[in-house]
Amino acid sequence: MAPPAQSQRSPSPSQPSGKGEVSDLKSQLRQLAGSRAPGIDDSKRELFKKVISYMTVGIDVSSLFGEMVMCSATSDIVLKKMCYLYVGNYAKVNPDLALLTINFLQRDCKDEDPMIRGLALRSLCSLRVANLVEYLVGPLGSGLKDNNNYVRTVAVMGVLKLYHISASTCVDADFPAMLKHSMLNDSDAQVVANCLSALQEIWSSEASSSEEASREREALLSKPVVYYFLNRIKEFSEWAQCLVLELVGKYVPSETSEIFDIMNLLEDRLQHANGAVVLATIKVFLQLTLSMTDVHQQVYERIKAPLLTLVSSGSPEQSYAVLSHLHLLVMRAPFIFSSDYKHFYCQYNEPSYVKKLKLEMLTAVANESNTYEIVTELCEYAANVDIPIARESIRAVGKIALQQYDVNAIVDRLLQFLEMEKDYVTAEALVLVKDLLRKYPQWSQDCIAVVGNISSKNIQEPKAKAALIWMLGEYSQDMHDAPYILESLIENWEDEHSAEVRLHLLTAVMKCFFKRPPETQKALGAALAAGLADFHQDVHDRALFYYRLLQYNVSVAQRVVDPPKQAVSVFADTQSSEIKDRIFDEFNSLSVVYQKPSYMFTDKEHRGPFEFSDELGHLSIGAESTGTVVPAQRVEANDKDLLLSVSEKEESGGPSNNASAYSAPSYDGSSVSAAASSQMLSELAISSVTGHASQSSLAIDDLLGLGLPVAPAPAPSPPLLKLNSKAVLDPGTFQQKWRQLPISLSQEYSVSPRGVAALTAPQALLRHMQGHSIHCIASGGQSPNYKFFFFAQKAEESSTFLVECIINTSSAKAQIKIKADDQSASEAFSTLFQSALSEFGLP
Amino acid sequence: MISQFFVLSQRGDNIVFRDYRGEVQKGSAEIFFRKVKFWKEDGDGDAPPIFNVDGVNYFHVKVAGLLFVATTRVNVSPSLVLELLQRIARVIKDYLGVLNEDSLRKNFVLVYELLDEVIDFGYVETTSTEVLKSYVFNEPIVVDVARLPSLGPAGIFMQGTKRMPGTAVTKSVVANEPGGRKREEIFVDIIEKISVTFSSSGYILTSEIDGTIQMKSYLTGNPEIRLALNDDLSIGRGGRSIYDYGSSYGSGAVILDDCNFHESVHLDSFEDDRTLTLVPPDGEFPVMNYRMTQEFKPPFRINTLIEEAGPLKAEVILKVRAEFSSSITANTILVQMPLPTYTTRVSFELEPGAVGNTTDFKEANKRLEWGLKKIVGGSEHTLRAKLTFSQESHGNIVKESGPVSMTFTIPMYNASRLQVKYLQIAKKAKNDNLYRWVRYVTQANSYVARL
């Protein structure tokens, strides 16, 4: 329902056009500033209100800064608040004037009333003026220790604000450590929650430059911290609970029993009325059980009902957000939801973005037992007044037909669509019938009979027209009128605007010619002539190609243009499974709503809580097969710094053609071919088998070595470390381990000038390190910055080393971070790594 | 974490605008509004509640004809932000009594004050009206309710039931009554939205009840409250498929598919005696949301007959029968039916003596609309419509029209038979003027009969 339309544009805060009003306000404020008359606060309030309302509608009232500050000497808290709001809004553009406010804000920070202290501190930190930060440190320090929890919550956020104005001031004042202390000791849950938010932000942004910060960030995910939060979860507000759950979602428990403990503890969060809490809990459940197939499936069963309840309660907007997540789960495991299909039926009054999701879900869950009902329902939507949805529904019927074994009934319905005489219905149905025929050629008789009755004049949409023409060409022997229909279409060549249709027309008339030469010859000639004269490059080229082919040899031409068709068994999926997994990893984020991984729509510094997986994902992941691994293909990631020049691509592609290496995700959405990804799976399976084999042979070695003295205890030189040259690790495990393990060593080496010169592309180093049994799992970057993730395994045991190595060729420095299962050996490994690296570039 | 929050009027004016982090450009409100406006004009339907323009994510919810918007560059949890926007709207409503453009404009300073406490640097601090009370000092300027059309679920109680003091639910939680003393009262509303799809033969294809027990407390001193529901209430349909309408129909047991609860609710004795215990916070909040697919008796039956009456003519007969007790009256009923696109003219014929009926043919989207002010339980109403076509219909008129949909509100009726048996307020010193209101209402969500 609409609020009553206002006759004039907004009567209460009138919108001034000129500057007159502002200068008017200025003089009024001046008058009030000095006055101490009774009731003055009320007049001030009115004036302040006006100022703020101007500010809201976007009128620049920054020229009143001085007057506003003068008027702010008041004990009236409402006035103070308005003044703070004003100052916070304009201080950034008026840094000099902002200095004027420091005085009274600092004084208020020491007020007796905690409310005033808190408000003043918040405003002080909201000034966002870099040269005023020195004034913040003192009040923030005392704010963090204030005995009032309101002041403390404000102070914690104040620290974060300070960090964004001047990170060094914040770190130098040791505020992060103070926040950490408060986080683990404060009695007030909101203070604790704010500390967590602030620290996550600060440490994440520091982690790239400071080793300590990255350790601290990882410590947030350590068992004691996570358990500390979990045990208090009910003390937190629902919003803070979301924060805690987000943290827990990233925690990797070491034992299975932990997983069940956490899930049991959080079970009742699934009954929360706040959808955000429920989804955050679901994310925890899904993440924790990823490696336990059975339990993971039970989780799906468990979360079904709460999700459905959230979808149907709350506002349409909230229900859309939840539905997007349900959609993701349904697409991942349609069989689990196959009996719930009725929940995905569309309601007539739902917005189309909801209907679209539901149609996709209906398509996904269709199986032998429910197809009939689903298709019946979808057919109802085909007559819908909402035309885009009607189209989607028809497409959905088609998709179901393509994924089912028994399509008998569905084909009948599609054919009924063709007879409905609504142009868009016919158009959609034609496209589907074409796809259907490519998969099920056995239905051609029935379809052709119906398609033959459709007048091509009634079809305007290029896609539909192209589909009809394809069928005319493909089945010209069965469609009596085919040559004549094609002929009439060719006569109107000039009026056909779509190049796609003209291309199809050329091909169809060729096919028709091979089957019924005498009837088609004339049309073919006309088509080739028109095609050769076509202004569209592709159409022209195709016509020329056909023409020369026919000139050369007609039977060869037939073999080329009209070979016997093989039925298509599977149509390519539009989204690669890599991308889908990526989105699943980012459950409970916008990625799910947009159906895109976060790197596709956010810039780097705003990725939020998914930094790590992004880092790794941005690099190409080279899975390995035999001994020699060369990443032959490259990911075309969105980020410029990962794009390799063509020459580099060819260079690395050339010599290593028969090395089987894959770039894992194809991020531009054009999908990794199904064959490649399935091959990759089997590859991984094989390599894990060899991994087991080598482990078992190691066990035998061990057995033989039994009784022998262990390595000589006091070794003056670093203990000799032997690496397994055939070490195997899949990217998933790498990622998990990287998240789990602490950094055991972090160093910076110099790279020899020789090495720098040799490092023209990441591949060069990979091959080299491979020779030293240090394997690369992901790499990327271009001159001067390269980034690598390596791993290695001890020869005697399955203890793994993980290395992140950043090489800057202009400074000739390599920064490495080592994580290890056996931390005591990381020193030795580092030496080994360094010596391997130093040999790089030697002839 | 959000970057900005703002409220726009239907015309796109900023009513309040708060920038928390300075990460998103100032013109975001304009960019947003233009996008939403053109989404529809481009023929893609309504803009989705979440979209991304140049790296900025825009979230919005529509409340009382206003757009509540948040922006951020971070990949946040979408339900968190949407829930937050909804909650901010509710807090504002708690304070202002009535939420609409007028009340918001009159109280924008108060709203800024609230926003400062609800969110700090983009992070949610609290959305509890109760907690906020101690930080917020502006007094709401109450707008005159009587002149305004009622909005939101509370509004539905204004008509059709004389027992309710109409203004109570539009009362601010902080403003004092004109008489000075606050009235001690508590409202418990059982609001059910029902969805039914009838097949062309009148068989129920799907049905669902989405219910909420909503509470709004004006009690001082935060007493504990016990809310007892039906004894035979059970939750979860076990291993059975939820669409297996078993023998439960008519046996009296109320079986919910699932439900969730507000965080203040204690479920300690829920298993034993179906009692919810809670200390209600100030302001309006849902105690419990529930969902039910158990079969129930639909309140209305719709009968449609379409007959060709010549080459360019047809007649539609719509019959609506109210299948509930005659002591109950439904109100604001609207029956709609899309007609064939080649319909040019429609003439209507109502039953003799029909009052409070409106009929209309919406030329633009070729829709028939039949409005009825009220329908008393047990009665039947008929509408005859004569259609004139611009062309001969080749196919089936039935296929080209429908489905018939219906919206309505039925006060003091709930389809699920879920009941609040009693509402107990823990001992209060002066019980003399303590008011408790338990109210039921059923609304149509998607009530559709296919042809």
Side-chain angles (χ1 to χ4, degrees):
Chain A
M1 272 180 278
Q6 284 162 342
S7 49
Q8 284 146 8
R9 245 171 108 77
S10 49
S12 42
S14 59
Q15 303 205 2
S17 45
K19 285 184 176 166
E21 284 85 347
V22 178
S23 58
D24 225 35
L25 275 175
K26 194 167 186 145
S27 61
Q28 288 182 45
L29 281 166
R30 281 241 168 96
Q31 280 173 12
L32 291 183
S35 169
R36 295 200 184 280
I40 191 78
D41 280 348
D42 286 341
S43 337
K44 278 188 186 172
R45 273 195 194 192
E46 282 312 307
L47 272 182
F48 273 34
K49 256 190 184 174
K50 243 182 211 162
V51 174
I52 304 243
S53 79
Y54 287 5
M55 195 176 91
T56 302
V57 296
I59 292 163
D60 185 5
V61 284
S62 60
S63 59
L64 304 175
F65 206 100
E67 286 75 14
M68 287 293 285
V69 174
M70 278 196 280
C71 283
S72 60
T74 173
S75 55
D76 184 80
I77 199 158
V78 174
L79 265 181
K80 259 188 204 298
K81 283 189 170 190
M82 284 196 266
C83 187
Y84 292 155
L85 178 68
Y86 173 87
V87 167
N89 220 30
Y90 287 115
K92 203 177 176 184
V93 288
N94 273 324
D96 300 336
L97 287 169
L99 194 61
L100 296 175
T101 61
I102 292 285
N103 241 333
F104 79 79
L105 285 174
Q106 275 189 324
R107 198 180 51 237
D108 283 353
C109 283
K110 294 182 185 121
D111 199 280
E112 264 177 37
D113 184 350
M115 187 69 55
I116 306 268
R117 290 205 297 275
L119 282 173
L121 188 58
R122 184 188 293 151
S123 306
L124 195 59
C125 298
S126 303
L127 294 178
R128 294 187 207 152
V129 179
N131 53 9
L132 298 183
V133 290
E134 53 188 302
Y135 300 103
L136 301 187
V137 176
L140 273 177
S142 34
L144 286 175
K145 293 188 205 90
D146 202 288
N147 57 13
N148 182 281
N149 57 349
Y150 177 71
V151 182
R152 291 201 305 278
T153 53
V154 170
V156 173
M157 292 322 278
V159 169
L160 184 57
K161 290 174 196 167
L162 171 62
Y163 178 80
H164 281 269
I165 307 167
S166 166
S168 57
T169 314
C170 177
V171 174
D172 291 346
D174 213 19
F175 281 137
M178 288 166 78
L179 291 195
K180 187 182 173 187
H181 182 260
S182 301
M183 179 180 82
L184 298 174
N185 297 290
D186 204 290
S187 57
D188 184 82
Q190 194 55 43
V191 175
V192 172
N194 284 4
C195 286
L196 179 59
S197 312
L199 285 176
Q200 279 184 327
E201 237 187 86
I202 293 174
W203 281 334
S204 296
S205 115
E206 285 288 294
S208 54
S209 55
S210 150
E211 190 47 50
E212 193 200 341
S214 100
R215 235 190 338 264
E216 290 286 9
R217 182 175 62 154
E218 272 154 46
L220 283 179
L221 292 173
S222 66
K223 188 169 171 177
V225 176
V226 168
Y227 276 48
Y228 162 78
F229 279 111
L230 274 175
N231 286 329
R232 304 180 63 169
I233 192 150
K234 285 184 189 153
E235 296 169 32
F236 291 104
S237 77
E238 49 198 313
W239 310 106
Q241 287 183 14
C242 296
L243 197 68
V244 171
L245 290 167
E246 184 68 55
L247 182 82
V248 178
K250 284 184 269 180
Y251 171 65
V252 184
S254 49
E255 290 166 44
T256 318
S257 63
E258 263 189 83
I259 295 176
F260 291 112
D261 287 349
I262 294 174
M263 289 185 16
N264 284 327
L265 182 77
L266 296 179
E267 166 72 22
D268 62 349
R269 298 295 92 192
L270 291 174
Q271 277 198 336
H272 204 290
N274 184 336
V277 174
V278 178
L279 280 174
T281 309
I282 289 176
K283 175 163 192 178
V284 173
F285 280 30
L286 291 173
Q287 290 291 334
L288 285 178
T289 57
L290 264 182
S291 55
M292 306 148 84
T293 321
D294 288 357
V295 189
H296 196 63
Q297 193 164 328
Q298 281 172 29
V299 168
Y300 272 78
E301 295 284 356
R302 173 67 187 90
I303 62 186
K304 229 195 252 178
L307 279 174
L308 289 169
T309 306
L310 286 175
V311 169
S312 53
S313 61
S315 69
E317 294 92 358
Q318 285 156 290
S319 97
Y320 169 66
V322 179
L323 193 70
S324 304
H325 285 82
L326 190 59
H327 174 267
L328 174 80
L329 297 176
V330 167
M331 299 318 255
R332 271 186 92 79
F335 59 95
I336 295 181
F337 297 89
S338 57
S339 59
D340 305 292
Y341 60 94
K342 285 195 179 182
H343 287 290
F344 311 140
Y345 283 1
C346 299
Q347 296 180 347
Y348 77 99
N349 49 0
E350 281 170 334
S352 46
Y353 50 79
V354 168
K355 287 183 180 161
K356 271 182 198 152
L357 284 181
K358 287 191 163 178
L359 288 176
E360 284 178 27
M361 289 153 88
L362 278 175
T363 315
V365 300
N367 63 11
E368 287 104 70
S369 61
N370 59 23
T371 294
Y372 179 78
E373 279 176 86
I374 290 178
V375 171
T376 308
E377 181 75 12
L378 287 171
C379 290
E380 290 284 341
Y381 307 153
N384 203 302
V385 282
D386 182 352
I387 292 175
I389 290 305
R391 285 175 179 276
E392 292 280 349
S393 311
I394 300 166
R395 275 177 225 153
V397 173
K399 276 187 207 150
I400 292 174
L402 290 177
Q403 73 197 23
Q404 294 293 312
Y405 301 103
D406 178 26
V407 290
N408 208 338
I410 305 180
V411 172
D412 283 349
R413 307 239 194 175
L414 277 176
L415 296 178
Q416 279 171 21
F417 285 148
L418 285 177
E419 290 163 342
M420 257 172 81
E421 295 198 17
K422 283 193 182 182
D423 43 1
Y424 61 90
V425 175
T426 314
E428 288 297 337
L430 268 178
V431 174
L432 285 177
V433 169
K434 179 205 66 176
D435 286 342
L436 216 62
L437 285 177
R438 288 172 63 199
K439 187 167 178 179
Y440 308 104
Q442 66 270 30
W443 291 103
S444 61
Q445 291 302 333
D446 304 64
C447 296
I448 291 316
V450 181
V451 170
N453 289 333
I454 296 171
S455 162
S456 62
K457 291 190 186 64
N458 294 345
I459 294 152
Q460 294 307 325
E461 288 174 40
K463 276 222 166 340
K465 218 167 181 175
L468 178 66
I469 292 171
W470 182 85
M471 285 187 271
L472 286 170
E474 197 61 36
Y475 299 96
S476 41
Q477 75 278 23
D478 305 321
M479 292 164 89
H480 186 255
D481 292 337
Y484 310 104
I485 298 172
L486 287 170
E487 194 174 330
S488 71
L489 285 167
I490 290 162
E491 274 164 22
N492 296 321
W493 186 278
E494 294 298 322
D495 303 329
E496 183 51 64
H497 297 293
S498 158
E500 187 192 359
V501 174
R502 297 202 299 276
L503 284 169
H504 270 275
L505 207 46
L506 275 176
T507 311
V509 76
M510 279 287 275
K511 289 181 189 165
C512 188
F513 171 72
F514 298 130
K515 283 158 198 153
R516 298 161 69 173
E519 289 160 288
T520 322
Q521 194 166 15
K522 189 170 149 251
L524 178 64
L528 289 175
L532 285 169
D534 203 285
F535 63 90
H536 194 277
Q537 192 64 52
D538 290 348
V539 179
H540 169 266
D541 287 357
R542 187 176 290 189
L544 192 64
F545 170 64
Y546 285 166
Y547 177 68
R548 294 204 175 135
L549 209 52
L550 287 168
Q551 258 187 334
Y552 171 69
N553 182 328
V554 175
S555 68
V556 170
Q558 179 165 16
R559 282 214 303 281
V560 172
V561 180
D562 194 22
K565 289 280 173 307
Q566 252 180 347
V568 179
S569 57
V570 184
F571 285 93
D573 209 338
T574 47
Q575 215 170 31
S576 76
S577 59
E578 294 289 340
I579 296 229
K580 287 180 193 158
D581 285 351
R582 209 69 179 322
I583 298 171
F584 181 72
D585 280 343
E586 295 173 357
F587 194 85
N588 195 24
S589 80
L590 290 168
S591 312
V592 178
V593 174
Y594 299 151
Q595 302 185 12
K596 285 177 190 164
S598 60
Y599 69 81
M600 287 186 178
F601 61 89
T602 21
D603 33 326
K604 220 165 201 162
E605 71 256 48
H606 293 110
R607 296 257 162 84
F610 307 105
E611 306 95 353
F612 174 75
S613 57
D614 277 347
E615 255 170 58
L616 197 59
H618 264 226
L619 308 168
S620 66
I621 293 174
E624 55 184 308
S625 50
T626 49
T628 51
V629 173
V630 183
Q633 287 171 324
R634 276 271 147 188
V635 177
E636 286 224 333
N638 275 7
D639 281 22
K640 291 257 186 324
D641 55 342
L642 291 179
L643 279 176
L644 290 172
S645 67
V646 178
S647 64
E648 278 169 326
K649 253 187 222 170
E650 281 167 2
E651 188 188 310
S652 60
S656 57
N657 264 344
N658 35 10
S660 45
Y662 313 96
S663 65
S666 165
Y667 290 129
D668 56 5
S670 64
S671 88
V672 166
S673 79
S677 55
S678 68
Q679 204 179 342
M680 176 156 166
L681 273 182
S682 61
E683 206 67 61
L684 281 175
I686 291 167
S687 47
S688 66
V689 168
T690 50
H692 280 300
S694 59
Q695 268 173 31
S696 58
S697 71
L698 288 177
I700 292 171
D701 284 347
D702 249 353
L703 217 59
L704 294 174
L706 202 73
L708 287 178
V710 199
S717 57
L720 208 62
L721 182 71
K722 284 204 74 169
L723 297 178
N724 177 4
S725 64
K726 293 200 168 67
V728 181
L729 197 67
D730 66 277
T733 319
F734 183 93
Q735 211 154 320
Q736 196 184 4
K737 272 185 180 274
W738 186 265
R739 223 177 298 176
Q740 227 168 354
L741 294 168
I743 294 181
S744 59
L745 200 71
S746 170
Q747 276 178 321
E748 191 174 276
Y749 310 138
S750 320
V751 182
S752 67
R754 247 188 357 259
V756 171
L759 190 60
T760 50
Q763 287 73 17
L765 183 64
L766 307 192
R767 265 171 256 151
H768 170 77
M769 297 306 271
Q770 180 85 32
H772 292 82
S773 305
I774 297 168
H775 309 270
C776 183
I777 194 145
S779 67
Q782 57 183 192
S783 183
N785 282 305
Y786 294 95
K787 188 167 187 176
F788 304 89
F789 284 100
F790 291 107
F791 70 92
Q793 261 168 17
K794 279 191 192 177
E796 308 85 20
E797 46 191 307
S798 64
S799 162
T800 320
F801 300 99
L802 310 179
V803 188
E804 180 201 86
C805 173
I806 300 166
I807 299 182
N808 183 307
T809 48
S810 63
S811 66
K813 288 272 191 281
Q815 285 183 332
I816 67 154
K817 283 177 193 162
I818 298 177
K819 299 189 176 190
D821 286 335
D822 173 12
Q823 301 203 16
S824 61
S826 38
E827 194 71 52
F829 176 74
S830 164
T831 317
L832 222 134
F833 189 88
Q834 193 177 357
S835 80
L837 194 61
S838 66
E839 285 168 34
F840 180 53
L842 281 178
Chain B
M1 180 199 13
I2 66 165
S3 196
Q4 298 167 325
F5 168 84
F6 47 90
V7 181
L8 298 184
S9 75
Q10 267 177 337
R11 296 182 306 279
D13 301 335
N14 275 0
I15 302 177
V16 288
F17 184 98
R18 186 80 174 86
D19 193 333
Y20 289 105
R21 290 181 69 102
E23 293 167 338
V24 174
Q25 70 274 30
K26 291 267 184 252
S28 54
E30 222 166 282
I31 296 173
F32 165 80
F33 190 71
R34 199 168 308 149
K35 193 86 185 169
V36 168
K37 209 174 138 203
F38 288 118
W39 208 292
K40 201 160 201 150
E41 289 171 14
D42 291 348
D44 298 331
D46 280 332
I50 306 163
F51 56 83
N52 183 304
V53 183
D54 298 331
V56 177
N57 303 298
Y58 294 86
F59 300 77
H60 75 278
V61 303
K62 284 186 197 137
V63 186
L66 300 163
L67 290 161
F68 284 67
V69 192
T71 65
T72 180
R73 288 185 178 275
V74 182
N75 187 17
V76 290
S77 158
S79 12
L80 187 132
V81 178
L82 292 173
E83 189 88 37
L84 172 66
L85 289 175
Q86 206 74 45
R87 219 62 86 73
I88 291 175
R90 195 193 293 159
V91 167
I92 295 176
K93 182 172 177 252
D94 282 346
Y95 266 84
L96 307 185
V98 180
L99 176 59
N100 60 27
E101 182 170 346
D102 190 30
S103 69
L104 210 58
R105 282 195 189 276
K106 284 209 169 85
N107 288 286
F108 73 100
V109 176
L110 166 63
V111 174
Y112 273 124
E113 204 184 353
L114 284 169
L115 287 176
D116 256 352
E117 302 299 337
V118 169
I119 298 166
D120 196 358
F121 207 50
Y123 291 100
V124 193
E125 294 294 301
T126 181
T127 49
S128 147
T129 304
E130 180 100 24
V131 175
L132 285 166
K133 258 180 165 176
S134 48
Y135 304 131
V136 171
F137 297 88
N138 273 293
E139 288 277 338
I141 302 161
V142 181
V143 294
D144 189 357
V145 181
R147 290 191 301 118
L148 295 164
S150 57
L151 295 164
I156 55 187
F157 298 105
M158 312 276 283
Q159 304 153 300
T161 163
K162 292 183 189 72
R163 287 178 51 210
M164 299 309 150
T167 53
V169 278
T170 55
K171 194 169 75 175
S172 163
V173 289
V174 286
N176 286 321
E177 298 277 289
R181 202 154 53 97
K182 267 181 87 172
R183 195 149 87 148
E184 295 271 309
E185 54 188 341
I186 181 165
F187 295 86
V188 179
D189 299 335
I190 292 90
I191 303 166
E192 294 188 347
K193 300 200 168 192
I194 58 177
S195 300
V196 180
T197 308
F198 298 98
S199 74
S200 51
S201 50
Y203 164 79
I204 297 175
L205 289 170
T206 59
S207 64
E208 180 168 316
I209 301 173
D210 301 315
T212 302
I213 302 182
Q214 194 151 296
M215 190 177 273
K216 193 162 189 178
S217 160
Y218 295 93
L219 301 172
T220 52
N222 294 46
E224 190 182 78
I225 283 179
R226 286 166 62 81
L227 203 64
L229 306 179
N230 313 34
D231 292 327
D232 54 6
L233 180 75
S234 63
I235 294 162
R237 303 183 61 121
R240 285 191 294 160
S241 157
I242 50 169
Y243 272 100
D244 165 24
Y245 311 104
S247 53
S248 58
Y249 184 34
S251 70
V254 177
I255 304 168
L256 306 180
D257 288 29
D258 186 48
C259 56
N260 60 37
F261 302 93
H262 187 262
E263 57 178 358
S264 64
V265 177
H266 290 283
L267 296 168
D268 306 337
S269 57
F270 188 69
E271 275 306 309
D272 303 331
D273 57 4
R274 298 298 175 208
T275 306
L276 305 172
T277 316
L278 69 153
V279 176
D282 284 340
E284 189 178 290
F285 68 98
V287 176
M288 170 179 170
N289 297 309
Y290 56 91
R291 182 168 54 83
M292 187 173 121
T293 48
Q294 182 188 17
E295 195 166 333
F296 60 91
K297 192 173 180 190
F300 291 101
R301 285 275 175 185
I302 307 167
N303 245 314
T304 316
L305 201 72
I306 302 182
E307 274 175 348
E308 261 181 272
L312 292 171
K313 284 189 189 320
E315 189 177 39
V316 174
I317 302 167
L318 275 170
K319 266 201 183 100
V320 171
R321 198 167 66 242
E323 301 208 308
F324 45 85
S325 145
S326 58
S327 61
I328 290 167
T329 306
N331 58 46
T332 54
I333 300 104
L334 183 66
V335 183
Q336 303 187 68
M337 174 177 170
L339 298 174
T341 46
Y342 41 80
T343 311
T344 50
R345 211 151 40 81
V346 183
S347 63
F348 297 98
E349 193 183 310
L350 287 161
E351 290 166 299
V355 284
N357 281 222
T358 54
T359 53
D360 198 0
F361 171 57
K362 298 278 183 207
E363 183 78 48
N365 42 19
K366 305 287 180 194
R367 203 166 55 208
L368 173 163
E369 292 189 358
W370 176 24
L372 297 98
K373 250 198 193 115
K374 54 181 184 176
I375 296 181
V376 180
S379 64
E380 187 179 274
H381 300 260
T382 312
L383 173 74
R384 286 166 183 271
K386 293 196 160 61
L387 317 182
T388 311
F389 301 140
S390 61
Q391 64 178 70
E392 233 170 294
S393 75
H394 314 282
N396 199 334
I397 305 175
V398 174
K399 262 199 175 152
E400 308 255 343
S401 34
V404 180
S405 62
M406 194 173 172
T407 58
F408 50 80
T409 298
I410 319 176
M412 300 323 284
Y413 174 89
N414 73 329
S416 70
R417 285 173 295 121
L418 177 100
Q419 278 182 327
V420 173
K421 271 185 7 205
Y422 60 84
L423 168 65
Q424 199 176 62
I425 303 168
K427 247 181 79 169
K428 293 267 292 176
K430 40 181 172 91
N431 260 346
D432 45 354
N433 55 351
L434 202 135
Y435 299 88
R436 39 194 136 182
W437 308 101
V438 178
R439 313 178 291 184
Y440 297 88
V441 71
T442 293
Q443 285 180 306
N445 182 17
S446 163
Y447 206 83
V448 172
R450 290 186 175 151
L451 299 177

